[in-house]
Amino acid sequence: MAVRIGISLIAWQNDDLPELTKDFTTEGAMQDAARIGYSGVERGRRMPADTAGLRAYLDRYGVALCGGWCSGNLLVNDLKTEKAAIAAQVEQFAALDAPCIVYAECSNTIQGDRGTPVSRRPRLSRDEVTVYAKKLSELAKWTRDQGFVLSYHHHMGAMVQDACDIDWLMAGSDPALTLLYDTGHLHFAGADPLAVLDRWGDRVHHVHVKDVRQPVLDWVRAEDRSFLDGVAAGVYSVPGDPEGCLDFQAVTDRLKAMDYDGWIVVEAEQDPAKAPPFEYSRRGYDHLVEICTRSGLNIQP
């Protein structure tokens, strides 16, 4: 059993708040990630779109493709339409040996709307989530039949956000649907990240790690601000930041206990003027290496 440590380039190239990262190139981000020691990167919008071009691009920097975002619309699409919409990404990621696609329902999310407070995110009843989960199970079975894994990303501002939403989605779905476990989104949502991992660890296929600056989160809640307001103000940081409030040693201890075998991906969107991407990404990597080693997790280079 082994883990691999990857990173999303969102600290250098923020697609939702591009003005924050306008002074950084994807090429520079790839160079930084490889120089720090990350084994893989998640796909960004500014990377080559074609499979051959993306493979050559990854090979140039000596990193693997460790996943990537997929904006789902299954709530409003029928299954046939949604399969057609994501088929090219599934085929490409399978060809490049990515561990999964990071799927999240985006048809009704407010995560990218800076003018809408996160408190006004869409909410579904348990029955509605269960209906959606059954439909999503069929999509996950289809990707499984293509030899590929679909991992669902709970996300702030989305209809699957907190521990209750995750419980309903997992309980109502087939095991073919796996879970992307994200520490920062769980804490932001008011959930206990360790409790969610204890409950659904057998469904976790992919892990995102980011820390939370509690004073900024308190401000978002008190002022009823949007998710992107929180990001711009610095609600997230990397593991190992002394300003963070999460215990990542406890997370890696749990991952070891459940024999987790997969990617652990740093995904901490920040304002680079306040948190230089290379410095913070290196801090996150060094901290993960330290705590994974202490937990007894074998790190695959």
Side-chain angles (χ1 to χ4, degrees):
M1 310 300 288
V3 298
R4 302 180 73 181
I5 300 177
I7 191 167
S8 166
L9 302 183
I10 199 165
W12 293 269
Q13 295 278 275
N14 191 313
D15 291 322
D16 293 320
L17 292 169
E19 67 276 9
L20 287 184
T21 56
K22 59 182 175 57
D23 295 329
F24 294 84
T25 65
T26 304
E27 290 75 14
M30 294 285 283
Q31 291 171 355
D32 282 353
R35 185 153 57 104
I36 289 167
Y38 286 102
S39 297
V41 298
E42 291 199 343
R43 189 175 188 273
R45 294 179 187 173
R46 303 180 200 183
M47 295 180 184
D50 65 293
T51 300
L54 183 55
R55 186 191 302 276
Y57 191 75
L58 295 165
D59 288 348
R60 183 188 313 162
Y61 300 101
V63 294
L65 183 68
C66 63
W69 180 268
C70 179
S71 294
N73 290 280
L74 188 60
L75 189 68
V76 295
N77 284 343
D78 60 41
L79 193 58
K80 181 180 179 180
T81 300
E82 192 67 1
K83 286 179 182 178
I86 71 171
Q89 185 174 358
V90 170
E91 180 181 359
Q92 179 181 79
F93 278 33
L96 295 174
D97 294 323
C100 62
I101 57 171
V102 175
Y103 187 95
E105 184 63 39
C106 291
S107 64
N108 61 352
T109 185
I110 52 99
Q111 66 199 55
D113 182 357
R114 194 163 182 177
T116 303
V118 72
S119 63
R120 290 169 54 189
R121 61 102 173 186
R123 297 177 185 273
L124 273 63
S125 69
R126 178 166 191 163
D127 287 346
E128 290 171 324
V129 172
T130 299
V131 170
Y132 177 77
K134 292 184 184 304
K135 196 175 176 184
L136 188 58
S137 293
E138 295 307 308
L139 188 68
K141 290 175 187 177
W142 172 76
T143 64
R144 181 190 61 189
D145 291 345
Q146 316 304 307
F148 202 62
V149 176
L150 188 150
S151 285
Y152 196 90
H153 191 348
H154 56 91
H155 199 288
M156 292 304 301
M159 68 182 208
V160 179
Q161 174 180 285
D162 60 25
C164 187
D165 300 327
I166 293 169
D167 285 347
W168 294 348
L169 184 71
M170 292 290 99
S173 60
D174 187 271
L177 177 67
T178 69
L179 180 66
L180 182 146
Y181 171 77
D182 188 302
T183 57
H185 281 290
L186 285 170
H187 184 79
F188 197 147
D192 177 349
L194 294 178
V196 172
L197 188 55
D198 288 341
R199 183 166 176 79
W200 297 112
D202 63 327
R203 301 282 291 274
V204 170
H205 180 76
H206 203 54
V207 174
H208 279 179
V209 287
K210 47 179 167 279
D211 212 334
V212 174
R213 294 182 177 94
Q214 189 63 47
V216 180
L217 177 54
D218 293 342
W219 169 79
V220 171
R221 291 171 175 166
E223 298 294 326
D224 199 23
R225 306 304 290 255
S226 70
F227 171 68
L228 292 182
D229 283 340
V231 169
V235 71
Y236 288 141
S237 188
V238 298
D241 185 345
E243 294 184 340
C245 65
L246 300 183
D247 180 1
F248 288 95
Q249 185 68 70
V251 172
T252 55
D253 286 348
R254 292 292 209 288
L255 293 175
K256 171 61 178 176
M258 59 184 258
D259 291 329
Y260 178 72
D261 182 13
W263 285 90
I264 302 175
V265 179
V266 173
E267 190 207 34
E269 51 266 61
Q270 300 189 79
D271 182 347
K274 302 173 184 176
F278 182 85
E279 176 188 334
Y280 274 75
S281 298
R282 180 171 58 186
R283 179 182 294 172
Y285 178 83
D286 290 345
H287 187 67
L288 281 176
V289 169
E290 178 184 344
I291 62 175
C292 284
T293 301
R294 192 180 298 135
S295 295
L297 286 166
N298 180 36
I299 300 173
Q300 182 179 336

